[in-house]
Amino acid sequence: MQLSEEQLSFFEEQGFLLVPDMFTKVEVDVLLKEMREVIKEDCPRRILEKNGSVRSFFAPNTTNEVFDKAARYKSLIAAAAKLLGGQIYLHQSKINSKAAMVGDWWEWHQDYTYWKKDDGMPEPNVLTAMIFLNDVTEFNGPMLVIPKSHLAGVVDDAENVAEIEESWYKEYVDSATYLTALTSDLKYTLKQKTIAKWVTKNGMCSARGKAGTVLFFHGNIFHASSNNLSPWDRHAYLLTYNRVDNQLPATDNPRPEFIAMRNFEPAITVETIV
Ligand code: SIN
Ligand code: MN
């Protein structure tokens, strides 16, 4: 599957692109089956919600063959490279497991802010491909994006100081500095006045589609998603690709490899994942 000129221009102008049917039902079913096993592992790569359910699971590609192949899937890599205009490598991968009834929100933010401030990534030549593992509707916490907001650059709204009541969850978040970038009390968020200004100008779009759809979104686009109060899961596999010429500089205190990968080699692609 090759992206058309229209799709390329849409991404460049709007900062996101929905591509249906990139993965077949068989492939999605295999990913879902593997996911259920993968997220059982109690380890630092597993991030919990305040209610104790699994929020995210980082770097599943490093321990699971199907997730590894999906991250190197030829059409996905070709599309991401085309959208970014150069060779790419995998910067981050995670499952966001927004389970029915319990999946929590993601506040408004820009991803590149974290990669710039926490990892030193030089430029926003980076995007995320979000593979829908379930049908995403208006009810199960779709991602909301503000079209064209990727053109705003990095918006430096104040750093958020999370107010978490004394609880096991506070202890959990305090236990590792990197957790403030991954839990529902995000470190760098966008403030209401910023969102209001951009929504007034460009509106808002909820990224919906059938399982197997891929949402590509630019590292600087403003995005958020609400709780999943529906009885339907909204699991997704998110792959962040960075341009090889935009790799992370060496640093004394890098974030863990499972959050910011430092193998800058372009992936060897695979034709199929099952
Ligand atoms: C993200 O902000 O990276 C993901 C949000 C979501 O899973 O809805
Ligand atoms: Mn994000």
Side-chain angles (χ1 to χ4, degrees), residues 94 106-107 109-111 114-115 143 186 217 223 238:
K94 63 179 177 179
W106 290 81
E107 291 178 83
H109 66 281
Q110 293 173 292
D111 288 340
Y114 294 85
W115 301 328
M143 235 183 66
L186 287 181
F217 59 99
H223 62 286
L238 289 93

Side-chain angles (χ1 to χ4, degrees), residues 189-233:
T189 56
L190 294 162
K191 301 288 171 268
Q192 186 183 2
K193 65 173 183 349
T194 307
I195 298 303
K197 183 177 124 197
W198 280 83
V199 172
T200 304
K201 203 160 60 154
N202 296 345
M204 220 172 358
C205 173
S206 71
R208 289 165 291 166
K210 292 267 176 219
T213 297
V214 176
L215 166 68
F216 293 93
F217 59 99
H218 188 278
N220 265 341
I221 201 161
F222 298 0
H223 62 286
S225 65
S226 54
N227 299 29
N228 185 3
L229 294 176
S230 83
W232 303 292
D233 291 342

